[in-house]
Amino acid sequence: MRDAPLLRLALRRLRSHPVEPLLLCAAVLGGCALVSAVSLIGAVGREQATHATLSALPDARRDVRAQVRYEPAISSDAGGEAVAAAAIDRLGELVQRPARVRVWGPLAPEDELGTRLVSLTGARAPLLAGRAPAGCARRRCEVLSLSPRPAPGQSFKVGATKLQVVGRTRLPEGVRPSATVLHGRAVLVSDGPAVARMVSQSRRFSVFTAPLRPGRVEGAQLGAIADRLERHLRRLHQEDLTSIVSGPVAELRQIDRRTSIAQRRLLVIGIEGAALLIAFVAFLATTRRGEVALGNAQLAYLGASAPQRLRLRVLETALPTGLAVAVALAGAVVLAEAVRTAEGFGASFVASALPLSTIAVLCGLALAGTFVAVGWGRAPRAARGRVGPLEAGALVALAVILWQASTTGGLDPAVLARRDAGVPVVLFVPVLAVVAGGVLLLRLLPLGFRALERLARHGPLSFRLALLGVVRRPALAAGATTFLAVALGSALFSLNYRTTLVDQGQAEAAFRAGAAWRTSERAGSATSVAPLTRYRSLTREPPTPVIRTAAKMDVVDDPIDADVEVLGIPHDRIGALSGWRPSFSRTTPARIGRALAKPRARFRGPRLAAGATAIRMWARAPFQSAVTVRLLTDGQQFGALPAGGIGPAWRHLQVAIPRGLRDATLASIVVGGSSTSSAATGADFGSVQQRLAGGRWVTVSDLGDWEAPDPWGESVLVPAGFRHGPVARGIRVTFVPIGVSLIRPSFDLPRALPALGGPDIPRGRVDVKIAGVEVALDVVARSRLLPTVTEQPRRFVLVDYDTLFAYLNGTQPGLIEPSEAWFSSRPPPGLGARLRRAPFRSAAVVRQDEVERTARNDRLALDAQALLLALAVVAALLGVGGLLIAAGAMVRDEAQEQAEYEAMGVDRNAVVLALRLRLAIMAALGVAGAVAGGVAGAAMTASLVAVSGAARVPLPPIEARVTLWSCALLLAAVAGAVALATARAARGPRPSIATRLRGT
Amino acid sequence: MTVVAGRDVYVIHRAPSGDVAALRGLSLTVEARETVAVLGPSGAGKSSLLAACAGRTRPSTGDLDVLGVSIAAAGPRALDALRREQLALVPQNFNRALPRDLTVEEIVGLPLRLLGRWGAAARETVAALLRRSGLTTRAEARPRELSGGEQQRVAVCAALIKGPKLVLADEPTGQLDAVHSKLVIDLLLELSGEAGASVLVVTHDPAIAARTARTVHVRDGRVSGEGAVEPVLVVDRQGWLRIPRSVRDAAGLHQHVRASARRGAVVLTADDEPAPVAATRPPAAERRRQVASTAVGVEQLDKSHGTQRIFQALTHEFAPGRLHVVAGPSGCGKTTLLDLIAALDVPDRGVIRVAGEAIDAGDALAAAAWRRRTLGHLSQHASLAGTLTARENVELGGAARGMAPAEARDAAERWLEWVGLAALGDRPAELLSGGEQRRVALARAVIGEPSLIVADEPTAHLDRANGATVLHLLKRAAAEHGATVIVSSHDPDALEAADEVFPLGSVGSKGAATCSAP
């Protein structure tokens, strides 16, 4: 073997000088361990995210479903069913045992809406009423009704068989066929020969439903599973063209895309961390240049050619780096296997944790470590203004940064978040910035040192010696300072990045919730949380009513109205909005609240007594009309009391007040029109009286201060005297016979509602249509974003709740009720369960703490934070370690010079002070560079968070954070290192001056 | 066959401070089996000539063929092959030639291993060489366990084991005493002769030059003469003629001469004012401070390095106002004695008195204060700050002794003038020649007007003229300043210049020294 002597020499040198190779091995091992850990973390995160996401999907989106049709008139057998069953079987453990629903054609073929038989196998239908059926025996079958009719107790005959309905049931949500298959009346029967006889000539649909098992889906195999599922579904459809097949292929692909992007991005962050360790290798190599040069010279004298010397150096460095990679790889495999066993992941997990890309990166790290150790260990050629590979690399790095910043919008977090690229170039920007900044620093520092040394010539001797030492070995000092700046800058950057991630999670949660918690409930087709008084059973805090509704807005030059989200929040609550940022608007929330209350309206009316049990009034109308009294409760709920019909003759209307509406506000009296029109032309009313406890009637309102609102303002309400009527005085109202005819207590409504508009809402007068009502808005302020508005974050208006409530209900009382209830105190225990029970209507709740917890507990996010923290710690340790190594190298390299100074009469304390000053100068410059770089890098973190997060547009936008405490901590660490290094130099055992003078 | 053929060779080094022409039109031929000594002052271009012959530096212009390979035109591979197979390089500093991690046997055998010629025959060759060089018993030793002479012999064996065609030796005995020098040069010439190799050896030592077949004198990057005792001056192709200093001094020639020619002769007549005397006088302040109280006495001094005893009961008195040379073979403790006198090391036993005061090197602060007051120390490896000018380097010495900046500046001017380098005060130290650097280091050492000057091998690595200048300055410091000057050296010129020689070891016995070195 040609290189055997070189190998032997390399091994001998490694054994004789183990410190350098050990450090090299440790650095590369650290880099490899970091990348392996990141890869493993990414794989674990992928598995868990896959499982969690699939589990959170509604059943319908997880189901593999096949619907086949059998027409006895066309085909002789039911082969389609077998094909579908077999196809689902082929998916094996991935899916649960399929449920099959058979729906036969109507028993009376001519009546499509007639009763049909349905059977269910593989799942259970809950018994809602009656009893469980006994099945079929002889010519009698017991069945369950799946529709209001036939009702339990009914029976009917199919051929010779009598079907007896014994109860009511419904098909489970996940297996229910589509409405086109299961419509009209249906009964559930037990499948069997009896049923087969009954429907032997009937067509039927069979629906197979097999939900995907989240626990059986391996994150690493998502793509393959999606492919397999798609293949099977396509094949099934091809085998039976009448079949309708579906499966969660799109969902799987989406999860695959998201998790694989996150995994790749995590890997890139890991690689960047490893790059720092490679920089450490470069720095180490710099400190050993003298020894390497001596070794090369020795070999050259002995006849070793330049390639031989290079091969020897490569061998010397490749052995430790190769060993590091081997150890890291073996450790990673063992760890991945242990994690797989502990977490119960599938067999492919190890390959997923250590994919070829990771192994390639590890090998790349070994190569980079070797290359850097060899390259940086060589003495630089002395030449001025030379553009070497380092400078070229820095220029390229700068060019990439500029290109990203200026042309592609690649540093815009929103743009980045929308991109699908797995590894956007921006992820490399930090390392490129470090390269560019590092080279710049490396080249500028010697000039700076020289200038400092000139300035210090009249200074104290120790200061002179300190700077003279730097100037005599500028490469080492510049290298150490640059490495310190790079390492500490990386640590600061990582900490800032992490803080930004954490803060962003909190900010997003606060933005999404807007309050500590808020609820909304479906009430029929509308959303309403009224009556708000129900929430007293949950918390002592009175709920803040909020209206959230959609509106249409005219857009100039666009025939289609734009959708706008309208939010009505009490003006005095706007100042306490969670998730608000000063950057949203130039106006503070408190001032916005005050602005929205000028002018302000409030729905008012006479209040019924708490003990009032009935109300009454005299009324008449030119035409037959129905009178309804509307009340508004304290819980912001409108109640309607039909008081009866009226005609041309006076009628005394009396209506009892239900218990829930006592103590309410009299909101309006609606006069319904004839059967052909909902509007009335007019009516006369006497005063409204209430019956108090004890049967005494007292007047609530004489209606004299009421008004008859309509959009055109043409209805007229005037006091009137009725000479021959049962009441002498009252009111007469003349309606515009369009829309709803009503009278209500009078209160002022502004012509235009003061509003806060989103970026797409113009300032000034804006007309929107809310629930069919034209509403004029006066946009007095604008905001970039508004907490809780996430669907269309640029198109929203915010108005005062009371004003909006009065405005909308002013013309149609009961048109709108509060759609959300907001709370600022901590959610009560068991909130979710309590909201699912009466009197609540399965209220949906958004809790800030839960949103925050979900974001915080996201495995990938957690892993990224842990990784960044680890990176920061490693970088800081490397920086401090580098300083200590530099101090050691200086003491070693300058031993002879220092001995000369001592021989001249300089005392040892002055020499140590010089070393201390020099380290302090280097540390100060390094820390300054690190802080500058770290703070400058922090501005970039917003972009990075956008791409390394969940690959979605973040709301609110990411704001970079700078952690001052981390700067202080790093400063303390560096100061400690300087003190330690100099203390070691001052107090450690040292050879005599004579020994050092001889250089031995 | 011509082994080295150089014609009008220029070598220009590019340095951060500017370009430096090391060779300026040098022409030289070396025939097969010829042994050539290259003599010349420091900075004359001797080492550059060797580096160019070894293909480590390419001629900037001119032709240089070595063993038929054009150094200027050959590719890196060809030069590598030339060095690996046909050239032997023997360095001045054996530290630079011997890997610290290998044994003597491995070092000597490594060139053959690198050539792929390792085998039983090669092992036998290594063993034979070690026998020839007297290193058989040290075959398993590593370089740090060997003396300087042994290490240089190992370097010679390692260089010559492959049977080269040309041996390039750069002051191979520069760090050795006379005894070891002879051993090494004998070995070098014998082995070269047996291998049939030509030898080009750079040296300052006329004794070595006398052993070679031919002597070439190099000055200012050109061959200035040939011949050992009275060299024949060479007029180069451009017409340049370098007149040796000795000839100029004898003729009283300075900067300007008038030349007249007649058939077969060129007559040069001095046309200068007499040289100013003041420049060579010591500063007035120094002359006034002549004292006779800095006698240095060592009494019953014991010193060991590890298990090796250097002195035992060494006693001697160094009188003030005299140049003392401590002589002796390598390893005999010359430098150690000087270190002890300079309070740079602590004796195991015994007392050192300077001007009657016992020196306690164990008290670091007191010793430093004493050195500031009393001592001027010139180290063998004295290194100047290359980026500082000569003046700034000397000023730094003043600052180290507690002088105010203005005072240090004035003193630096005076002492630079004293060492004859006032004109070069603003030149960066890295651009000064070796001899000039040594004089700047001397000025830096004496800027505090010390009463005791200690110089370790002050003429090492200097050519004879520069060495003589340094010795002359030291002698003047003793005679005119009244300082006690103690110098360690094995340089015959130093011994000749000494007012008193204190031999250690086998050189002689003038005092009560014992020495364990051979």
Coordinates of all heavy atoms in Angstrom, one line a residue, chain B residues 4-10 23-30 49 62-64 214 216-218 221-226 234-238:
Chain B
V4 N 24.2 21.8 -11.4 CA 23.5 23.0 -11.2 C 24.0 24.0 -12.3 O 25.2 24.2 -12.4 CB 23.7 23.6 -9.8 CG1 23.0 25.0 -9.7 CG2 23.2 22.7 -8.8
A5 N 23.1 24.6 -13.1 CA 23.5 25.6 -14.1 C 22.6 26.8 -13.9 O 21.4 26.7 -14.3 CB 23.4 25.0 -15.5
G6 N 23.1 27.8 -13.3 CA 22.3 29.0 -13.1 C 22.9 30.2 -13.9 O 24.1 30.4 -13.9
R7 N 22.0 30.9 -14.5 CA 22.5 32.0 -15.4 C 21.6 33.2 -15.2 O 20.4 33.1 -15.5 CB 22.5 31.6 -16.8 CG 23.2 32.5 -17.8 CD 23.2 31.9 -19.1 NE 23.5 32.9 -20.1 CZ 23.4 32.7 -21.4 NH1 23.0 31.5 -21.9 NH2 23.6 33.6 -22.3
D8 N 22.2 34.3 -14.7 CA 21.4 35.6 -14.5 C 20.1 35.3 -13.7 O 19.1 35.7 -14.1 CB 21.1 36.2 -15.8 CG 22.3 36.8 -16.5 OD1 23.3 37.0 -15.8 OD2 22.3 36.9 -17.7
V9 N 20.3 34.6 -12.6 CA 19.1 34.3 -11.8 C 18.7 35.4 -10.9 O 19.5 35.9 -10.1 CB 19.3 33.0 -11.0 CG1 18.1 32.7 -10.2 CG2 19.7 31.8 -11.9
Y10 N 17.4 35.8 -11.0 CA 16.9 36.8 -10.1 C 15.8 36.1 -9.3 O 14.9 35.4 -9.9 CB 16.2 38.0 -10.9 CG 17.2 39.0 -11.3 CD1 18.0 38.8 -12.4 CD2 17.4 40.2 -10.6 CE1 19.0 39.8 -12.8 CE2 18.3 41.2 -11.0 CZ 19.1 40.9 -12.1 OH 20.0 41.9 -12.5
L23 N 18.1 37.3 -5.0 CA 19.2 37.0 -5.9 C 19.0 38.1 -7.1 O 17.9 38.3 -7.6 CB 19.0 35.6 -6.5 CG 19.2 34.5 -5.5 CD1 19.1 33.1 -6.3 CD2 20.5 34.6 -4.7
R24 N 20.2 38.6 -7.5 CA 20.2 39.7 -8.5 C 21.2 39.4 -9.6 O 22.3 39.9 -9.6 CB 20.5 41.0 -7.8 CG 19.7 41.4 -6.6 CD 20.2 42.6 -6.0 NE 19.6 42.8 -4.7 CZ 19.8 43.8 -3.9 NH1 20.7 44.8 -4.3 NH2 19.3 44.0 -2.7
G25 N 20.8 38.5 -10.4 CA 21.6 38.1 -11.5 C 22.7 37.1 -11.2 O 23.8 37.2 -11.7
L26 N 22.4 36.2 -10.3 CA 23.5 35.2 -9.9 C 23.7 34.2 -11.0 O 22.7 33.7 -11.6 CB 23.0 34.5 -8.6 CG 24.0 33.5 -8.0 CD1 24.0 33.6 -6.5 CD2 23.6 32.1 -8.4
S27 N 24.9 33.9 -11.3 CA 25.3 32.8 -12.2 C 26.2 31.9 -11.6 O 27.2 32.3 -10.9 CB 26.0 33.4 -13.5 OG 25.1 34.3 -14.1
L28 N 25.9 30.6 -11.7 CA 26.7 29.6 -11.0 C 26.5 28.2 -11.6 O 25.4 27.9 -12.1 CB 26.3 29.5 -9.5 CG 26.9 28.4 -8.6 CD1 28.3 28.8 -8.3 CD2 26.1 28.3 -7.3
T29 N 27.6 27.5 -11.7 CA 27.5 26.1 -12.2 C 28.2 25.2 -11.2 O 29.2 25.5 -10.6 CB 28.2 25.9 -13.6 OG1 29.5 26.3 -13.5 CG2 27.5 26.6 -14.7
V30 N 27.6 24.0 -11.0 CA 28.2 23.0 -10.1 C 28.2 21.7 -10.9 O 27.2 21.3 -11.5 CB 27.3 22.8 -8.8 CG1 27.9 21.7 -8.0 CG2 27.2 24.1 -8.0
L49 N 19.6 31.1 -2.7 CA 20.2 30.3 -3.8 C 19.8 28.8 -3.6 O 19.4 28.1 -4.5 CB 21.7 30.5 -3.8 CG 22.5 29.5 -4.7 CD1 22.1 29.7 -6.1 CD2 24.0 29.7 -4.5
G62 N 15.8 34.7 -15.5 CA 17.0 33.9 -15.6 C 16.7 32.4 -15.7 O 15.6 32.0 -15.6
D63 N 17.8 31.7 -15.9 CA 17.7 30.2 -16.1 C 18.4 29.5 -15.0 O 19.5 29.8 -14.6 CB 18.3 29.8 -17.4 CG 17.7 30.5 -18.6 OD1 16.4 30.7 -18.6 OD2 18.4 30.8 -19.6
L64 N 17.7 28.5 -14.4 CA 18.3 27.7 -13.4 C 17.9 26.3 -13.7 O 16.7 25.9 -13.5 CB 17.8 28.1 -12.0 CG 18.4 27.3 -10.8 CD1 19.9 27.4 -10.8 CD2 17.8 27.8 -9.5
R214 N 35.6 23.7 -3.8 CA 35.5 25.0 -4.4 C 34.7 25.9 -3.5 O 33.8 25.5 -2.7 CB 34.7 24.9 -5.7 CG 34.6 26.1 -6.6 CD 33.9 25.6 -7.9 NE 33.1 26.7 -8.4 CZ 32.0 26.6 -9.1 NH1 31.6 25.3 -9.4 NH2 31.4 27.6 -9.6
V216 N 32.6 29.6 -3.2 CA 32.0 30.7 -4.0 C 31.5 31.8 -3.0 O 30.9 31.4 -2.0 CB 30.7 30.2 -4.8 CG1 30.0 31.3 -5.4 CG2 31.2 29.2 -5.8
H217 N 31.8 33.0 -3.3 CA 31.4 34.1 -2.4 C 30.2 34.8 -3.0 O 30.2 35.1 -4.2 CB 32.6 35.1 -2.2 CG 33.7 34.5 -1.5 ND1 34.0 34.7 -0.2 CD2 34.7 33.7 -1.9 CE1 35.0 34.1 0.2 NE2 35.5 33.4 -0.9
V218 N 29.2 35.0 -2.2 CA 27.9 35.6 -2.7 C 27.7 36.9 -1.9 O 27.8 36.9 -0.7 CB 26.7 34.7 -2.5 CG1 25.4 35.4 -2.9 CG2 26.9 33.4 -3.4
G221 N 23.2 39.2 -3.7 CA 22.5 38.3 -4.6 C 23.3 37.9 -5.8 O 22.7 37.5 -6.8
R222 N 24.6 38.2 -5.8 CA 25.4 37.8 -7.0 C 26.6 37.1 -6.5 O 27.0 37.2 -5.3 CB 25.9 39.0 -7.7 CG 24.8 39.9 -8.2 CD 25.4 41.1 -9.0 NE 24.4 42.1 -9.2 CZ 24.2 43.1 -8.4 NH1 25.0 43.3 -7.3 NH2 23.3 44.0 -8.7
V223 N 27.3 36.3 -7.4 CA 28.5 35.7 -7.0 C 29.6 36.8 -7.1 O 29.8 37.4 -8.2 CB 28.9 34.6 -8.0 CG1 30.3 34.0 -7.8 CG2 27.9 33.4 -7.8
S224 N 30.3 37.1 -6.0 CA 31.2 38.2 -6.0 C 32.6 37.7 -6.1 O 33.5 38.5 -6.4 CB 31.0 39.0 -4.7 OG 31.3 38.2 -3.6
G225 N 32.9 36.4 -5.8 CA 34.2 36.0 -5.9 C 34.3 34.5 -5.8 O 33.4 33.8 -5.3
E226 N 35.5 33.9 -6.1 CA 35.7 32.5 -5.9 C 37.1 32.3 -5.3 O 38.0 33.1 -5.5 CB 35.6 31.8 -7.2 CG 34.3 31.7 -7.8 CD 34.0 30.5 -8.7 OE1 34.9 29.6 -8.7 OE2 32.9 30.5 -9.3
V234 N 34.6 38.5 -8.9 CA 33.9 38.2 -10.2 C 33.2 39.5 -10.7 O 32.5 40.1 -9.9 CB 32.9 37.1 -9.9 CG1 32.1 36.8 -11.2 CG2 33.6 35.8 -9.5
V235 N 33.4 39.8 -11.9 CA 32.7 40.8 -12.5 C 31.5 40.2 -13.3 O 31.8 39.3 -14.2 CB 33.5 41.6 -13.5 CG1 32.7 42.8 -14.2 CG2 34.8 42.2 -12.8
D236 N 30.3 40.5 -12.9 CA 29.2 39.7 -13.5 C 28.9 40.3 -14.9 O 29.5 41.2 -15.4 CB 28.0 39.6 -12.6 CG 27.3 40.9 -12.4 OD1 27.6 41.9 -13.2 OD2 26.4 41.0 -11.6
R237 N 27.9 39.7 -15.5 CA 27.6 40.0 -16.8 C 27.1 41.4 -17.0 O 27.2 42.0 -18.1 CB 26.5 39.0 -17.4 CG 27.0 37.6 -17.4 CD 25.8 36.6 -17.5 NE 25.1 36.9 -18.8 CZ 25.4 36.4 -20.0 NH1 26.5 35.6 -20.1 NH2 24.7 36.6 -21.0
Q238 N 26.6 42.0 -16.0 CA 26.2 43.4 -16.1 C 27.3 44.4 -15.7 O 27.2 45.6 -15.8 CB 25.0 43.7 -15.1 CG 23.7 43.1 -15.6 CD 23.6 41.7 -15.2 OE1 24.1 41.2 -14.2 NE2 22.9 40.9 -16.0

